[in-house]
Structure formats: structure tokens, C-alpha cells
Amino acid sequence: MANKPASKGRKPGNSTRHPGAVDGVSGRVGRILAKANKEGTYDTALEQETAVLVAVPDKRQPDSQTQEYLDELAFLAETAGAKVTKRFVQRLEKPDIRTFVGEGKLEEIKAYVQHTQASMVIFDDDLSPSQLRNLEAELQVKIVDRSLLIIDIFASRAKSATARTQVELAQYQYLLPRLTGLWTHLSRQRGGGVSQRGPGETEIETDRRVVRDRIALLKDKLKELDKQSNTQRKARGGMVRVALVGYTNVGKSTIMNLLSRSDVFAENKLFATVDSTVRKVVLENTPFLLSDTVGFIRKLPTRLIESFKSTLDEIREADLLVHVVDISHPSFEDQIAVVNDTLKDIEAADKPMLLVFNKIDRYDTGQEEHHGGFEGMNVDEDIEPRPTLEQLQASYMAKMHDPVIFISAQERQNIDELRALLVRHVAVLQEQRYPYQSYDEAE
């Protein structure tokens, strides 16, 4: 009989799990996954998990950009409940096909993990199933790649039935090609020959069939939930729909709360919002629907985009997009590009858009200090100071066709100007979309 997973006393923040772990799974599937995890699950009930970060950038990638990407990975790990203790970087033309990193770097990581008793190693890229198995065999700790880390955060944030189903589907799709490594305790073959299949392969085939059946079931469930969402969206006819979009942790939920006077959950962590939230807003007797959507991020797993199709429909069907940007971030222009590329992927890039630069109270024109760097990092001493806010505002207003505004949602700076800008554009869209409907009828 499989041992029951230890859960008593587990801290809620420590949610990063072994790749075989799937929340909310019962019945036969749950028993199979519990059996698979018997030797691969690590107890984190007594203390916070500690993580080692590993990045393998291209040799042409600047150190400052590598540092920025590692900072984001560390923020992801912190959001998942882990404490980062070390960062390793190895520059390669292409990742090693067996272990992703070279043999020498792998020995360094192994020595550090054994010395410090770190509980997991997190990679800033997706690992193949064979790389995952090889790394677990070498390091003897939990191996987490970027996709699994993001999916795990989504799992801890999902509240609605739709979001939970979407996350579970993404978990199973991630798990399916990696099932072989979960059955190493049954992998010994009896004898040799082409037709001599051992019990391990039989277990794997059974497991794959059960997981595929579960994936099919979840897809059917999502279709039903999508029909319900479509019915709800149709019932909102007659009102202009505005969607907040942007990189994760740029302040969309804070702006949502300011404009709608609601209590949407917001905190300084990545993916604080996973479920779409829709509120009716009336500004200067102009009503419209405002939705807060999941934030985008660099290398957002494709399976999550596919699973969250119905949630992203709020963006696709919006009449106006409000693209929120964290201007205090050193690479805010790269984040703008990531969001624009994601909007293209979901076929929503051609919509009217307002560009809102948030967090002007945190903007710093001086050279950024680098903390928690990696060994061998060369900090460029000749980095030029960043332009002033006035220069940025003049530059963006000159080159952008869409309206631009600079605000601080936290400090309530220029919020009245943002409201006035929204009212003007919503009124124009209302006249275009519903020319024969008065505001009283829309309300």
C-alpha cells in the first residue's frame, strides 16, 4: 500500500512540488500518482525549502540581462515559497543534451547542494524529460524547471472552478511526457530480448492511459465552463469592455481597485491575480466593464496559454486594452515587448490601447545596483544614467500612436487624469459600438 503523503503541519507557502505531484486528484489516478511519488517526494513540513538557481545563457547575452533574468527567477521562487541561497551561471553555445549544464558545473552544483543540504535546484529554462531524470539521479534533490515553477504558482493562486481546472490540465500536460522517471523502482527488466517487457513498462503504460483520460476529461470540463463564460459575456452586451493587461506584478490589480472601488487581491508577488475579475465601473456617468486579467511573463509556458484560453477571452473580446507598465523596472521596454508578443499570440494585438506607465514614484535615473549576482559577473561601469520621466514622457508621446499616461497607483498620482482619459475613450467606443443606446439603458 502506498504511503499517504505527509500534509499535517505543512506550511502553506511551501508549495513547490516534485513534478509528479498533482493537487486535487482522487480515485485511481490519485493512487497511481501517490505510488509514483513514494520515493520522490521530500518533506518540507518543518522548514522552508531552500533553492539553488541555475541559468545557461547564450555567450552573447550581457551579464546585466542574465542578472535580471535570475532576479526574476528568484522572485518566482520566493512567490512559490522557497528561499534562494545560491545562483550558478554557465555560458554555453547550446545546453548540454544530457544534463543541460556541463560536467564541471554539474559537479560544482552537486558539491554545493550536498554541503548546504539545499532541497531543490531550479533551472531558468524548460528541461527535457531525459535531462530531468539525469539531473535528479546526479543531484539527488528535487529538480524544478521554469514551466513547473510557474504552473505551481498558478496552482496556489487559482480560486475559481475554471482556473483550478485550467491549472490541473496544465499540470497533467506537463506530467505526461515525464512519467517514465516516476517508475524507476519498477524499471528492472527480466532477461533480454525485444519482447521481454518488464513490469515497469506495464505500469508506465497504465499511468499514461490514466493521465490521457484525465486530460480528455478536463478538456471536456473546460468546454462546458467556457460555454458558461460565453453566456455570461453575452449577458454583458450593451456596455464597453475594458481589460487591464501587462507584465506580471506591474500594478494592474491596484489600478483595478482604484477605478472600481473594489477589493481585488493585490500584493507584491508574481501572479497575484490568476482568475479574471470583472467589475462594473461608472466614471462621470459613463458606465463600462473593467476586467483584471492574469499577468504575462517571459517564457510563459505554452501549455498555460492553451489551458487559460477561456480566461484570455476577456482580453480577446475587450473593446479597449489598458496596457500597464512598471516604469521603475530597468527593462520595462523588454516587458512591453513580451506583452505585445503575447497579445499577438492570442490574436488581440490590433485592439485600441492606452499605455499606462505605473510606479513613477519608484523611478530612479541613477545606475542600478546589482545584488545577489553570480560568480564571474562583470558589471558594466559605463552604464549611462536613465532618462528623466519628462524625457521619457516626451519620447513616448511622440512615437506612440496610442495615448500615454504616467501614474503612481500606490501614491494616487495622476489618477484623476487616468480616469478622464478612460472616460473620453470609453465614450467614443460607446458611440461607435452602441450608437442608439443611451448611458441610462447601458446601466
Side-chain angles (χ1 to χ4, degrees):
M1 180 180 294
N3 294 332
K4 294 182 179 180
S7 60
K8 184 177 181 181
R10 185 181 298 275
K11 293 183 179 180
N14 299 341
S15 60
T16 305
R17 290 173 288 279
H18 186 274
V22 178
D23 288 338
V25 182
S26 58
R28 186 183 180 197
V29 176
R31 291 194 297 274
I32 288 176
L33 292 178
K35 184 177 181 181
N37 288 332
K38 180 178 179 181
E39 298 178 359
T41 305
Y42 298 82
D43 183 14
T44 60
L46 298 180
E47 57 185 17
Q48 184 181 26
E49 290 183 288
T50 54
V52 175
L53 307 184
V54 179
V56 182
D58 183 89
K59 288 186 176 181
R60 294 175 292 276
Q61 181 172 292
D63 282 344
S64 58
Q65 191 174 53
T66 302
Q67 169 74 7
E68 177 198 327
Y69 290 169
L70 281 170
D71 287 344
E72 182 176 272
L73 186 64
F75 203 179
L76 284 167
E78 178 187 334
T79 301
K83 178 182 178 182
V84 176
T85 59
K86 183 72 172 178
R87 304 178 181 196
F88 288 94
V89 173
Q90 183 178 33
R91 296 188 179 278
L92 297 173
E93 286 294 339
K94 60 180 181 179
D96 184 82
I97 193 171
R98 194 180 74 86
T99 59
F100 202 75
V101 295
E103 292 185 7
K105 185 62 67 175
L106 184 61
E107 287 300 319
E108 287 183 40
I109 297 171
K110 185 175 181 179
Y112 179 82
V113 167
Q114 291 177 344
H115 177 70
T116 62
Q117 298 295 304
S119 56
M120 75 176 78
V121 178
I122 302 176
F123 286 77
D124 192 35
D125 289 279
D126 286 352
L127 301 173
S128 69
S130 61
Q131 289 171 336
L132 185 65
R133 292 193 297 273
N134 293 335
L135 286 166
E136 285 185 331
E138 289 284 346
L139 301 177
Q140 296 295 308
V141 293
K142 182 168 29 177
I143 305 299
V144 179
D145 62 15
R146 185 180 178 87
S147 282
L148 178 62
L149 184 61
I150 294 175
I151 290 172
D152 189 81
I153 294 171
F154 270 60
S156 67
R157 300 288 186 174
K159 303 301 180 186
S160 69
T162 300
R164 288 196 298 267
T165 304
Q166 290 166 333
V167 171
E168 188 178 352
L169 175 60
Q171 287 175 317
Y172 273 114
Q173 289 173 331
Y174 177 92
L175 175 64
L176 183 59
R178 295 166 173 81
L179 288 174
T180 305
L182 303 178
W183 293 102
T184 53
H185 59 294
L186 296 175
S187 61
R188 296 184 181 87
Q189 300 280 338
R190 295 181 180 178
V194 175
S195 62
Q196 298 295 323
R197 297 190 301 174
E201 188 170 354
T202 302
E203 293 279 10
I204 292 169
E205 290 173 351
T206 303
D207 199 356
R208 283 176 179 154
R209 185 164 53 252
V210 172
V211 171
R212 286 194 186 102
D213 289 344
R214 183 67 177 173
I215 288 174
L217 181 66
L218 290 170
K219 286 183 176 179
D220 289 340
K221 184 178 179 181
L222 277 178
K223 287 180 182 177
E224 291 300 317
L225 291 169
D226 196 21
K227 288 180 183 177
Q228 296 175 17
S229 298
N230 285 334
T231 302
Q232 292 173 352
R233 282 192 287 270
K234 288 178 181 177
R236 302 173 193 155
M239 295 183 68
V240 170
R241 285 181 282 184
V242 180
L244 295 167
V245 299
Y247 209 80
T248 182
N249 200 45
V250 295
K252 296 187 301 298
S253 296
T254 304
I255 292 174
M256 175 82 167
N257 290 335
L258 280 175
L259 296 176
S260 64
R261 298 179 182 177
S262 58
D263 55 352
V264 175
F265 179 70
E267 66 173 338
N268 187 30
K269 286 190 176 181
L270 302 181
F271 302 115
T273 300
V274 171
D275 299 278
S276 289
T277 304
V278 181
R279 295 286 186 271
K280 180 180 178 181
V281 179
V282 181
L283 299 177
E284 299 180 15
N285 295 322
T286 305
F288 60 94
L289 294 173
L290 181 65
S291 60
D292 184 18
T293 60
V294 61
F296 301 142
I297 197 170
R298 179 180 59 92
K299 299 180 185 177
L300 186 65
T302 304
R303 58 183 61 86
L304 267 180
I305 296 178
E306 293 172 351
S307 298
F308 273 70
K309 174 185 176 298
S310 59
T311 298
L312 296 173
D313 281 343
E314 291 289 349
I315 299 175
R316 290 190 190 95
E317 298 182 12
D319 300 303
L320 175 67
L321 300 181
V322 177
H323 183 174
V324 183
V325 180
D326 177 5
I327 198 171
S328 68
H329 195 282
S331 299
F332 70 88
E333 290 184 324
D334 292 337
Q335 293 186 351
I336 292 175
V338 168
V339 173
N340 288 336
D341 289 342
T342 307
L343 290 175
K344 289 178 183 176
D345 290 341
I346 64 175
E347 301 177 354
D350 58 344
K351 295 183 175 295
M353 183 183 294
L354 305 182
L355 194 58
V356 178
F357 288 99
N358 189 27
K359 304 186 182 182
I360 59 175
D361 56 307
R362 300 184 186 179
Y363 184 78
D364 183 10
T365 58
Q367 181 175 325
E368 296 289 329
E369 296 182 3
H370 295 278
H371 300 284
F374 50 87
E375 295 177 2
M377 175 180 173
N378 298 317
V379 179
D380 189 352
E381 299 294 340
D382 298 325
I383 297 178
E384 296 182 0
R386 303 172 71 187
T388 64
L389 282 174
E390 291 75 15
Q391 291 171 329
L392 281 173
Q393 188 168 7
S395 173
Y396 270 90
M397 292 185 73
K399 70 181 181 180
M400 297 293 291
H401 297 293
D402 299 319
V404 178
I405 188 169
F406 288 68
I407 71 166
S408 170
Q410 194 70 37
E411 300 298 326
R412 311 295 196 269
Q413 291 179 252
N414 298 337
I415 300 301
D416 289 339
E417 288 81 352
L418 174 61
R419 290 192 179 104
L421 186 63
L422 270 174
V423 167
R424 288 201 301 272
H425 284 271
V426 168
V428 171
L429 289 169
Q430 181 76 26
E431 181 65 26
Q432 293 174 350
R433 300 287 194 276
Y434 315 103
Y436 303 109
Q437 184 177 44
S438 66
Y439 288 139
D440 292 337
E441 291 172 341
E443 294 185 63

